[in-house]
Amino acid sequence: MIDEALLDAPDRLVRADPRRLLRAVAGAGAQVRGAARGAAESPLAHLTPEGRPGTVLHAGLGPQVPLLADLFEALAGDSVRVTELRPEGPSTEPGALSWGLPRWVGALDLLLITSATGVEPGLSMLTEAAQRRGCSVVAVAPDGSPLAEAVRYRRGLLLPLTAAPFQEPTGHPAAPGIGWALLTPLLLLGDRLGLFAAPDATVQAVADRLDDVAERCGPSVGTRDNPAKSLASEFGTALPLLWSEGPLATAAARHAARTLTSLPGRPALTAPLPAALTLHGPLLAGDLSGASDPDDFFRDRVDEPAPLRPSVLLLRDPPADGAPGGPRSAVETARAAAEERGVAVGELAGGDGADPLVAFAETVDRLDFAAVYLALATGAGADG
């Protein structure tokens, strides 16, 4: 059950947020800015790469791992293969996890490791395994951590984690915010390697746009004028169907679904357009709660939950070079299909001729804010 009155009560929001999730997501711009400064003072500034890697592999813990894999794949297109390495182990404790390299990994490949703490033994062991294969290693981790020492010892490239000033850890594994401090150095690395365009100016524009989102989506802005609170209110009684058009929009949708599930504990489904019309078409029929037959006169209505209904959110990449036109979009077809069934439809477009990476950051941050507000309004923000 969502407490919608809480969304328009800034003082209550603060009290309902002991983990300071709102502060974490609001600090995304500062995280990008601090990480960019740290990268400029790191060996990355003097890196002279020799060609592109054959495959980029990514390992670590936290929501930034699948997001970075999706983002690199979306930005690089078919110029490089991207693989996410998933941990295995008997539990989710960092000390119980291990990461393995595919058998085909060799000297032409690049392993990226991200860790907010650098204490996972399995990541240090992964560094050693990569070095034996001749695979290049780049890690973003706290300077002085066991992982940082392992990377330096194995002659990998360490990019020290530079968090924003006064940023405190939330203790929640799905909390947004710190992920940008881990992602930013690797975006600059991707630009330096020639995998995609993410120069310093674009990264600074990302930080500025994230600051703008924090201002527009902050707790003092009412639900009527706050796009993140509006989304949280809509998702509070609905099953979000996140339909995407374009690789960056698809990466954002997948990240949002993971965040909605792991932070407020709400299911969400994603699918790219136009396939979403087939994959999720039957869900547009209406009540998804599995409630009793409405024609059953004798059923107990006292504690019957409100029916769960689908709600479609359309996400799409900005047109190439900000120009109108281009290939015919499936978004309008999707909108018509949902509205024909009486299903609520919203849209997050990648904003006003902005660079695709800047537009992506804005979309992700608005959805992160929405997930945090939904967690607080349902009481999930104090858990985890």
Side-chain angles (χ1 to χ4, degrees):
M1 188 71 180
I2 181 172
D3 181 1
E4 295 198 39
L6 178 70
L7 297 177
D8 285 322
D11 292 341
R12 290 183 60 204
L13 276 171
V14 172
R15 292 195 297 271
D17 188 17
R19 293 179 177 272
R20 299 188 178 183
L21 297 172
L22 278 173
R23 183 172 181 175
V25 70
Q31 294 284 0
V32 171
R33 206 170 280 109
R37 283 196 301 267
E41 299 169 358
S42 75
L44 179 61
H46 309 290
L47 182 66
T48 54
E50 299 178 0
R52 297 180 176 182
T55 300
V56 174
L57 305 101
H58 185 202
L61 289 178
Q64 83 283 350
V65 178
L67 177 59
L68 183 135
D70 286 344
L71 182 53
F72 262 55
E73 187 172 15
L75 291 172
D78 58 3
S79 65
V80 67
R81 183 169 59 173
V82 181
T83 299
E84 176 191 346
L85 300 182
R86 295 179 174 85
E88 298 180 350
S91 73
T92 58
E93 293 297 320
L97 297 174
S98 63
W99 287 258
L101 287 173
R103 287 179 294 177
W104 45 261
V105 170
L108 297 179
D109 302 315
L110 171 64
L111 171 63
L112 306 178
I113 301 177
T114 54
S115 173
T117 62
V119 300
E120 302 89 347
L123 292 178
S124 296
M125 295 174 62
L126 179 65
T127 300
E128 297 174 9
Q131 191 268 343
R132 290 195 297 268
R133 302 272 195 96
C135 176
S136 300
V137 178
V138 178
V140 182
D143 203 4
S145 66
L147 175 59
E149 296 304 316
V151 171
R152 282 200 174 105
Y153 180 74
R154 299 294 175 181
R155 298 185 179 181
L157 175 61
L158 174 68
L159 304 178
L161 175 63
T162 307
F166 311 112
Q167 186 73 58
E168 300 176 4
T170 66
H172 197 297
I178 185 64
W180 285 106
L182 295 163
L183 291 177
T184 299
L186 298 181
L187 290 173
L188 293 168
L189 173 69
D191 178 79
R192 185 61 60 89
L193 294 176
L195 300 179
F196 46 75
D200 292 343
T202 297
V203 170
Q204 293 301 322
V206 166
D208 293 341
R209 183 60 62 90
L210 292 173
D211 287 344
D212 290 341
V213 174
E215 185 174 340
R216 289 184 285 123
C217 297
S220 62
V221 181
T223 301
R224 178 177 297 181
D225 302 314
N226 189 318
K229 288 183 179 180
S230 297
L231 278 176
S233 178
E234 174 63 27
F235 291 166
T237 56
L239 172 67
L241 303 180
L242 308 177
W243 293 354
S244 57
E245 186 173 66
L248 286 169
T250 296
R254 286 161 57 92
H255 171 76
R258 290 188 294 265
T259 306
L260 285 167
T261 300
S262 55
L263 202 58
R266 293 302 178 96
L269 300 177
T270 70
L273 289 169
L277 296 170
T278 300
L279 294 172
H280 294 169
L283 299 176
L284 300 180
D287 182 5
L288 305 175
S289 64
S292 304
D293 182 355
D295 294 327
D296 181 1
F297 180 81
F298 296 102
R299 78 181 190 280
D300 184 3
R301 294 175 171 80
V302 176
D303 296 321
E304 189 172 285
L308 183 64
R309 52 186 175 77
S311 177
V312 172
L313 182 64
L314 302 170
L315 299 89
R316 57 174 158 177
D317 289 355
D321 302 321
R328 185 179 177 185
S329 172
V331 167
E332 295 309 319
T333 303
R335 180 185 295 278
E339 290 178 346
E340 183 179 356
R341 301 288 188 90
V343 173
V345 183
E347 182 174 347
L348 286 183
D352 302 333
D355 181 279
L357 184 56
V358 175
F360 168 84
E362 177 181 1
T363 298
V364 165
D365 207 35
R366 287 172 64 176
L367 290 166
D368 280 347
F369 261 107
V372 169
Y373 281 126
L374 184 55
L376 300 181
T378 56
D383 302 331

